[in-house]
Amino acid sequence: MKKLLSLLALGATLSFGVAHAQTCDAQAADKKLNGAAKTSFVKKCEKDAKAAAAATCATKAIDKNGKALAGAAKNSFMKKCEADAKG
């Protein structure tokens, strides 16, 4: 059961990252941004998305016993979680 919930959470995180990247481009298009303004806007939007993913990953960084991960295990988990969220 825990494995199923973990997979569902991972799937939701991955789909959020991809959807958010599309949203940044769509928002830039809606605002009719071009050139440097569009690049700057999309860069900031993606940076904000990464920060949101980091916060989400930090709350998921727990071991199978419900304790918070620490040290190398936490670093490894955070790196993989953020990469997965980015797409």
Side-chain angles (χ1 to χ4, degrees):
M1 185 67 174
K2 284 184 180 182
K3 192 176 231 183
L4 176 63
L5 292 175
S6 296
L7 290 173
L8 289 174
L10 179 62
T13 302
L14 289 175
S15 64
F16 171 75
V18 172
H20 192 75
Q22 293 169 349
T23 303
C24 291
D25 288 331
Q27 287 176 356
D30 289 344
K31 293 182 179 192
K32 299 180 182 177
L33 298 174
N34 291 314
K38 179 181 178 183
T39 303
S40 176
F41 176 82
V42 171
K43 184 176 178 181
K44 182 185 181 307
C45 182
E46 289 174 351
K47 180 181 172 187
D48 293 345
K50 183 177 180 183
T56 301
C57 291
T59 60
K60 294 179 183 178
I62 56 173
D63 66 7
K64 64 182 178 181
N65 297 324
K67 295 181 182 179
L69 293 175
K74 182 176 181 180
N75 292 340
S76 176
F77 175 83
M78 292 294 290
K79 185 176 179 180
K80 183 180 184 314
C81 183
E82 288 172 1
D84 289 347
K86 186 176 180 183

